[in-house]
Coordinates of all heavy atoms in Angstrom, one line a residue:
A983 N 199.5 225.2 132.5 CA 198.7 224.2 131.8 C 199.4 222.9 131.6 O 198.8 221.9 131.4 CB 198.2 224.8 130.5
A1070 N 201.9 217.8 146.6 CA 201.3 216.7 147.4 C 200.7 215.7 146.5 O 200.9 214.5 146.7 CB 200.2 217.3 148.3
A1086 N 201.3 194.5 140.1 CA 201.5 193.9 138.7 C 202.6 192.9 138.7 O 202.5 191.9 138.0 CB 201.8 195.0 137.7
T1110 N 206.6 202.0 135.6 CA 208.0 202.5 135.7 C 208.0 204.0 135.2 O 208.5 204.9 135.9 CB 209.0 201.7 135.0 OG1 209.0 200.3 135.5 CG2 210.4 202.3 135.0
N1127 N 213.6 219.6 147.4 CA 214.0 220.6 148.4 C 213.1 221.8 148.4 O 212.7 222.3 149.4 CB 215.5 220.9 148.3 CG 216.4 219.8 148.7 OD1 215.9 218.7 149.1 ND2 217.7 220.0 148.8
P1183 N 204.9 214.5 177.5 CA 203.6 215.2 177.2 C 203.8 216.7 177.5 O 204.4 217.1 178.5 CB 202.6 214.6 178.1 CG 203.4 214.0 179.2 CD 204.7 213.5 178.6

Side-chain angles (χ1 to χ4, degrees):
T1110 298
N1127 286 6

